[in-house]
Amino acid sequence: MDLNLGGRVVLVTGGVRGVGAGISEVFAGQGATVVTCARRPVDGLPYEFHRCDVRDPEAVAAMIDGIVDRHGRLDVVVNNAGGSPHALAAEASPRFHQKVIELNLLGMLNVSQAANAVMQNQSHGGAIVSISSVSGRRPSPGTAAYGAAKAGVDSLTATLAVEWAPKVRVNAVVAGMVATEQVELFYGDAESQDSVAATVPLGRLAQPADIGWATAFLASDAASYIS
């Protein structure tokens, strides 16, 4: 499948592990120039890497400026950085809840705002795709702040799509259960994973590349009327 993404400059936040790695791989396979960022560098990464904490607006602005200075453009941003360890809402500290919401919601807004400022001044505009979660649309016991943040991502996506149209298209992929390299941490041993997969209509957990293909489609011209 060719989505004609050759030559596009794509930033995938948190694009070094798990779902992010799958997204980066799909875009790179489509010929895009992939740029990733995370709080800590990763050895052997095949993509351009920026060390950046998306919760820090100044660090985000500097990263976006650096990408544009180097490549002359920024076509796509995928807001993937996020996640949360398991913690019951009554037992987690206020600081814990704050950090989770900053990472999963405010980080997405920081990156999107900086990217939009660039894309609005490009003749071809741009596309922003955020990775949301079913946790934002149903009860999320053990990850309450994460679920609330993802609900915020869904709301922000809809609002930004209106505010930043028509130059910038804004979408979100609401991901379900994904088999990353940490699948045992979330879904247990092979037997437990099979039980969980049996609850999914397609009979399996998603692979990171499945999320990558959905994201790449939304970023491509094939989705030019989806926002």
Side-chain angles (χ1 to χ4, degrees):
M1 183 186 302
D2 185 0
L3 292 173
N4 295 313
L5 293 171
R8 305 282 178 93
V9 177
V10 181
L11 169 63
V12 183
T13 67
V16 297
R17 296 185 182 88
V19 170
I23 294 169
S24 295
E25 184 177 356
V26 169
F27 274 101
Q30 290 289 301
T33 297
V34 175
V35 182
T36 65
C37 73
R39 283 176 285 180
R40 290 175 291 276
V42 176
D43 293 335
L45 194 68
Y47 316 113
E48 178 183 332
F49 177 82
H50 292 253
R51 187 169 184 169
C52 180
D53 185 341
V54 297
R55 298 172 299 181
D56 182 345
E58 293 183 358
V60 168
M63 175 181 64
I64 297 294
D65 288 344
I67 293 170
V68 175
D69 286 345
R70 178 170 183 175
H71 300 284
R73 57 193 289 165
L74 178 59
D75 302 298
V76 178
V77 163
V78 181
N79 288 304
N80 169 74
S84 173
H86 185 278
L88 295 176
E91 300 172 2
S93 69
R95 180 59 178 155
F96 174 88
H97 292 312
Q98 180 180 338
K99 285 185 174 181
V100 170
I101 291 175
E102 285 176 349
L103 174 61
N104 290 280
L105 179 59
L106 296 183
M108 170 264 191
L109 180 56
N110 290 337
V111 175
S112 298
Q113 187 177 36
N116 175 68
V118 172
M119 293 174 175
Q120 291 290 343
N121 291 313
Q122 297 178 152
S123 61
H124 57 284
I128 297 172
V129 184
S130 297
I131 305 304
S132 187
S133 169
V134 293
S135 294
R137 302 193 174 192
R138 65 189 188 193
S140 186
T143 53
Y146 173 81
K150 290 302 186 181
V153 167
D154 293 343
S155 177
L156 262 178
T157 297
T159 298
L160 300 182
V162 174
E163 287 194 5
W164 296 348
K167 267 296 189 63
V168 178
R169 294 187 301 106
V170 187
N171 288 290
V173 173
V174 181
M177 297 175 287
V178 186
T180 68
E181 63 267 27
Q182 294 183 313
V183 63
E184 293 183 357
L185 179 64
F186 293 101
Y187 305 120
D189 59 19
E191 184 177 352
S192 296
Q193 292 172 39
D194 289 342
S195 297
V196 172
T199 68
V200 179
L202 293 179
R204 66 175 179 86
L205 302 180
Q207 295 297 314
D210 292 320
I211 310 303
W213 280 110
T215 304
F217 165 72
L218 288 172
S220 75
D221 292 341
S224 63
Y225 198 66
I226 301 177
S227 190

